[in-house]
Amino acid sequence: MAEACNVTARAGNNKGFEDAACARISGDLQEVESDLPDDIRDDALRVFRIAVAEKCTIKDAIEKVQKEALTEVENRFKGQRFKGYIKFDYDTNVIQINVNKFGNGNAQFSAGVGTKKMVCPDPFMGRLSDPNMHR
């Protein structure tokens, strides 16, 4: 049996990623940032809100948006190069979905999931968790 390459031997999913992807979104939507066309952005937002309301995991919500809303990019920009993203900013999580459409017809989707770090706004409550506060 062949040995794994030293560079990619430890690549792949890890426990932190699995925990983040299998979590459910809590809290309210704070902001949506996007450079997609307005109708595609609105459709992606609608699908994502429905997935959150149905208590889908973050991974399932991302897949729903990619399959139901962002496939329109493939049809609209047929034969053209297009790059775009949509970012959902919730109370505790930030989810970004990227679209990379190539001129030959292929489209690539990627996603990023992050958790927000809460920062104490009152300096009299003790040590702050934000290390950049006094710079």
Side-chain angles (χ1 to χ4, degrees), residues 31-124:
E31 180 183 6
V32 176
E33 185 180 320
S34 176
D35 64 352
L36 298 172
D38 288 341
D39 59 329
I40 295 175
R41 179 188 65 85
D42 293 342
D43 196 31
L45 177 59
R46 179 189 58 80
V47 171
F48 198 82
R49 281 188 167 164
I50 290 171
V52 169
E54 292 175 351
K55 304 283 188 211
C56 290
T57 63
I58 292 175
K59 179 177 130 186
D60 293 338
I62 290 170
E63 287 176 1
K64 274 185 125 165
V65 171
Q66 289 174 346
K67 289 178 183 172
E68 295 178 22
L70 298 181
T71 53
E72 177 61 28
V73 169
E74 293 181 45
N75 300 330
R76 181 168 309 167
F77 297 98
K78 199 171 201 98
Q80 300 174 21
R81 179 85 164 99
F82 178 80
K83 288 180 83 169
Y85 73 95
I86 185 165
K87 185 184 341 184
F88 304 101
D89 191 354
Y90 278 83
D91 287 343
T92 56
N93 298 84
V94 178
I95 297 98
Q96 180 169 332
I97 304 172
N98 301 308
V99 180
N100 195 0
K101 168 80 173 67
F102 300 99
N104 66 0
N106 294 334
Q108 178 182 20
F109 299 106
S110 62
V113 179
T115 56
K116 283 188 181 176
K117 187 175 182 182
M118 295 302 191
V119 177
C120 173
D122 186 1
F124 298 107

